[in-house]
Amino acid sequence: MYNKKPQELEVLGSTNNSLKDTSKIDKKPLHIIALGGAGCNFLRFIYNHGVKAKYTAVSSESGNIPKDSTIEFIHFAPPQKEVMIDRGTFVDKLVSIDMNNRLQMPDAIYKHLESDDKFIIISGLGGYISSFFTEDTANYLSKNGKTFLIICTLPFSFEGERTRYAEDTRKKLSSFDNFKYIENNSLKEKYGNVGFKAAFQKIDELFLDIVNDYIAE
């Protein structure tokens, strides 16, 4: 674990380090909601470390959620489109996420957000669910006066279009209090030329640190 407070870590960005007055919310149940595949991986790590909370995972795949856990899984399949790739001698048909066809967030998620919980929203920005639903969730929680923290990662620079969608979402989320993000590139620079497995282990630990600090406020 790290000795520094999360906001002091060079790899961590935050638009507002001040937290809301918690004197009246200490008794609120903690509810951690993961949006997208990467967020679900972070959620599993936090869950396995015994953080007491309600857990909800939203993803197109349930494989990264332990079947014997108390994590509630909400399935959502992003809209897809066929992409034709001309390889000279033949044409491939590939299926990709249609980021231009934005759908409304499922009612099952809004139903959770209606409760009087203290929320932590976690995601790895860049994908359909993580980019759009993190923004929609933040808008809803803010509009309805909920207590919440958003923790996200920004993808590595080589991840192509994901970096553009992630940066667009980061800019939109920057207006919210208690929005924190981890830049994957900066983390790799901080800890040296480590492999991706080790880099993601560091990210898991950072998420856990931020969650524990938020609980302790």
Side-chain angles (χ1 to χ4, degrees), residues 1-9 12 14 17-22 25-26 30 32 46 51-52 118-120 147-151 178 180 204-217:
M1 305 302 288
Y2 300 96
N3 294 324
K4 292 182 180 180
K5 292 292 185 181
Q7 57 264 36
E8 296 173 350
L9 288 167
L12 187 71
S14 176
N17 287 326
S18 62
L19 296 176
K20 294 182 179 179
D21 180 10
T22 59
I25 62 173
D26 290 343
L30 179 65
I32 304 177
I46 295 168
V51 175
K52 293 183 179 180
K118 180 179 180 180
F119 294 95
I120 298 178
T147 302
F148 66 97
L149 171 69
I150 304 171
I151 318 170
N178 303 331
K180 298 179 183 295
D204 285 340
E205 292 171 359
L206 279 171
F207 266 80
L208 183 60
D209 282 347
I210 299 168
V211 168
N212 283 330
D213 276 12
Y214 186 60
I215 295 172
E217 287 290 330

Side-chain angles (χ1 to χ4, degrees), residues 192-207:
N193 190 25
V194 297
F196 285 110
K197 184 176 181 179
F200 282 113
Q201 176 68 25
K202 294 293 185 183
I203 296 173
D204 285 340
E205 292 171 359
L206 279 171
F207 266 80

